Amino acid sequence: MNSALLILVVLYLLGTLAIGAWAGSRVKDTADFAVAGHRLPLIMVITTSFATWFGAETVLGIPATFVKGGLRDVVEDPFGASMCLVIVGLFFAPLLYRMNLLTIGDYFRNRFGVPVEILCSILIILSYLGWVAAQITALGLVFNVLSDGSISSPVGMVIGTVLVLIYVIMGGMLAVVYTDFIQMIVLVIGLSYIAWVASDQAGGAGKVFALASEKELFTVLPEMTFKDWVIFIGAAITMMLGSVPQQDVFQRVMSAKDAPTARNGAVIGGLAYLLFAFVPMFVVTSSLIIMPTETTELLESDSQKVLPTLILNHMPFFAQVLFFGALVSAIKSTSSATLLAPSTSFVENILRHLWPTLDDRHMLKAMRISIFVFASLVLTFAIVSHGTPIYQMVSAAYQVTLAGAFVPLTFGLYWKKATTQGAIASTLLGVGVWLALKLFPLWDGEFPSQLAGLLASIVGMVVGTLAPQWIPHQPASEEKTYPVHPAGH
């Protein structure tokens, strides 16, 4: 058992609880808890945007997928994911920030009314099951690997979830952004050092790049066939567009101190993520040279263990400490943010309609309770889904919001004629077509269900808006706003 490493990982996780307690003492209202009081400087918006994406799939899932299929197989993440943040920064952040909202669901209510708010919020909340479950699964894997199997993956999932849950409940978004800042420093330093050591052991970066080129891992574009191209496009837009109407992305925009900071933070964070996501891919490719037999066997049995095996069996203890510190940082930064986001959406956009007299104090309490309930549901889902590749779990999470929420958000911002009827038709038709093709694949699965859902959603919006309006347009009569605290206070 790697007892020393295991102890250090547990101490690191416990250390973040102190940050959560300190951040919790600064939480005065729901704006503090949900969007850090709208006061984050640029550097923190960059790090928390970067941290949102740099999770378990970036360290474990993407590299394993890359060495098996090349860049073509990871077009969804990191390429699509990073471009999502760039798109949000350029086309959505400036417009949304000026509205001073608490959740993305608030936008749907103000633009299209309560029915669309509830409908889209439900889709957004459901999409987080797979996303957070992937992070919980990775935490279980860490404890399982470091204990040489003495701690089972499900038990490891429980331990990791409890430790993350405590500091998120205490400090909310304030705890998330402060720990993100520290964890991104650990992650960048740790993985950069690992890449340097791996390069040295493989005989130089040139040999690693030469091997990747020989195996055609740098091929990005698909074969020139209809099937390959629509699958490629479907994969590319899943996170690129499907993540745009997500609450965790929205929270980063709204946490900034002003609109330019929101825009620049998202763009820079997205580009930084794309650049640094190549580091784990480089390290895993080097494993084909450093431990060819073990890597080949693991790629067949459990590809997500290639990187941890390389670190534990072929690198010095200091490198092991840095790697697992970086891995846990990546997992915690993503899981904490994605536990907070759906819980905030549930309380603000669903519970508030069931409990109209909910004041700010009780709303803050309800958010904390809902985080606990959602974490319990996600933990159960992660344990039941044990064995599903992390990359697939993340990929599936964003298809529902691509099909059901992206078009109402985009058309609502950029098409003044868009109506409540159009938004409802867009959501129902998009999700309906996506779900139908999930259950009954078209042309033996040759046409991606998420792409079909997106196209159907566009048709629903256009036709629903231009047709006679049987459902009256019903935007909220007034926007609910939240206190904005001066930066630095």
Side-chain angles (χ1 to χ4, degrees):
M1 179 184 294
N2 301 284
S3 54
L5 271 176
L6 185 59
I7 290 171
L8 287 173
V9 167
V10 172
L11 288 176
Y12 178 73
L13 287 168
L14 290 174
T16 59
L17 299 185
I19 298 175
W22 174 77
S25 67
R26 304 187 67 186
V27 172
K28 308 302 181 194
D29 50 41
T30 53
D32 279 337
F33 192 80
V35 290
H38 306 283
R39 60 191 177 195
L40 295 186
L42 179 62
I43 185 62
M44 283 195 153
V45 177
I46 292 172
T47 55
T48 196
S49 298
F50 178 94
T52 302
W53 285 156
F54 212 103
E57 76 290 348
T58 314
V59 181
L60 300 176
I62 292 175
T65 305
F66 168 72
V67 296
K68 293 171 74 174
L71 292 177
R72 180 187 301 160
D73 284 9
V74 294
V75 64
E76 182 174 323
D77 190 6
F79 293 102
S82 61
M83 288 304 102
C84 166
L85 289 177
V86 173
I87 290 170
V88 167
L90 294 177
F91 301 106
F92 293 87
L95 297 175
L96 291 172
Y97 188 88
R98 289 197 293 267
M99 298 179 186
N100 190 27
L101 308 171
L102 193 69
T103 68
I104 193 69
D106 289 347
Y107 166 78
F108 290 117
R109 178 183 68 247
N110 292 339
R111 181 66 175 84
F112 297 115
V114 173
V116 177
E117 171 196 10
I118 294 176
L119 192 58
C120 289
S121 295
I122 290 173
L123 295 179
I124 291 168
I125 291 169
L126 290 176
S127 73
Y128 279 100
L129 276 175
W131 182 223
V132 188
Q135 314 310 314
I136 300 303
T137 298
L139 279 174
L141 178 64
V142 169
F143 282 102
N144 180 256
V145 169
L146 291 182
S147 66
D148 288 335
S150 298
I151 298 177
S152 67
S153 289
V155 172
M157 292 180 198
V158 174
I159 296 172
T161 301
V162 169
L163 292 174
V164 173
L165 181 63
I166 291 173
Y167 93 90
V168 177
I169 286 179
M170 287 191 295
M173 189 64 181
L174 281 174
V176 170
V177 296
Y178 286 126
T179 52
D180 278 355
F181 183 75
I182 296 170
Q183 288 168 176
M184 287 309 98
I185 295 173
V186 174
L187 191 152
V188 169
I189 293 174
L191 285 182
S192 297
Y193 177 74
I194 294 296
W196 179 74
V197 174
S199 175
D200 183 63
Q201 292 183 351
K207 286 190 175 182
V208 179
F209 289 125
L211 177 63
S213 180
E214 178 186 330
K215 290 182 171 292
E216 299 183 344
L217 298 182
F218 293 138
T219 302
V220 178
L221 298 179
E223 299 293 332
M224 296 301 294
T225 66
F226 176 79
K227 174 184 176 181
D228 289 337
W229 268 98
V230 294
I231 291 176
F232 179 82
I233 293 171
I237 64 172
T238 297
M239 290 188 73
M240 185 188 300
L241 304 182
S243 299
V244 170
Q246 287 285 6
Q247 174 63 16
D248 58 313
V249 175
F250 177 82
Q251 281 177 304
R252 271 107 197 107
V253 170
M254 296 305 294
S255 296
K257 64 179 181 179
D258 52 42
T261 300
R263 179 194 64 226
N264 297 337
V267 172
I268 297 171
L271 295 176
Y273 171 70
L274 177 61
L275 178 65
F276 207 73
F278 282 96
V279 175
M281 286 190 263
F282 173 85
V283 176
V284 171
T285 305
S286 70
S287 71
L288 292 167
I289 299 174
I290 300 170
M291 50 174 214
T293 303
E294 290 174 278
T295 301
T296 301
E297 292 175 353
L298 286 171
L299 287 175
E300 293 296 327
S301 58
D302 190 351
S303 59
Q304 293 166 171
K305 289 187 176 180
V306 172
L307 193 49
T309 302
L310 172 67
I311 303 299
L312 289 173
N313 296 345
H314 297 274
M315 292 201 174
F317 182 74
F318 180 66
Q320 295 174 13
V321 172
L322 285 179
F323 170 75
F324 283 99
L327 176 58
V328 171
S329 293
I331 296 169
K332 284 183 74 279
S333 61
T334 300
S335 57
S336 59
T338 48
L339 276 177
L340 178 65
S343 306
T344 304
S345 291
F346 170 75
V347 173
E348 166 66 4
N349 302 116
I350 296 177
L351 182 63
R352 199 165 58 84
H353 294 294
L354 301 175
W355 189 358
T357 59
L358 193 66
D359 59 22
D360 195 80
R361 183 172 66 86
H362 286 94
M363 190 172 176
L364 184 59
K365 183 178 180 180
M367 284 182 182
R368 287 176 162 139
I369 294 173
S370 66
I371 290 172
F372 174 81
V373 173
F374 187 76
S376 302
L377 292 174
V378 168
L379 177 61
T380 303
F381 181 75
I383 293 174
V384 171
S385 303
H386 182 56
T388 303
I390 291 172
Y391 194 86
Q392 289 184 19
M393 294 176 76
V394 171
S395 171
Y398 293 105
Q399 293 185 15
V400 63
T401 46
L402 174 65
F406 173 74
V407 171
L409 172 62
T410 306
F411 276 65
L413 286 172
Y414 286 99
W415 192 30
K416 292 182 179 180
K417 292 183 178 180
T419 64
T420 299
Q421 178 173 288
I424 293 175
S426 174
T427 299
L428 294 180
L429 188 60
V431 173
V433 169
W434 168 75
L435 188 59
L437 291 189
K438 275 289 185 185
L439 299 175
F440 308 102
L442 183 64
W443 301 326
D444 294 326
E446 292 186 10
F447 199 92
S449 57
Q450 69 270 31
L451 179 56
L454 174 63
L455 296 175
S457 183
I458 294 173
V459 171
M461 172 59 78
V462 174
V463 174
T465 295
L466 298 180
Q469 300 298 293
W470 293 287
I471 300 175
H473 185 52
Q474 45 185 317
S477 57
E478 61 180 49
E479 297 184 4
K480 180 179 179 180
T481 58
Y482 298 86
V484 179
H485 304 295
H489 291 268

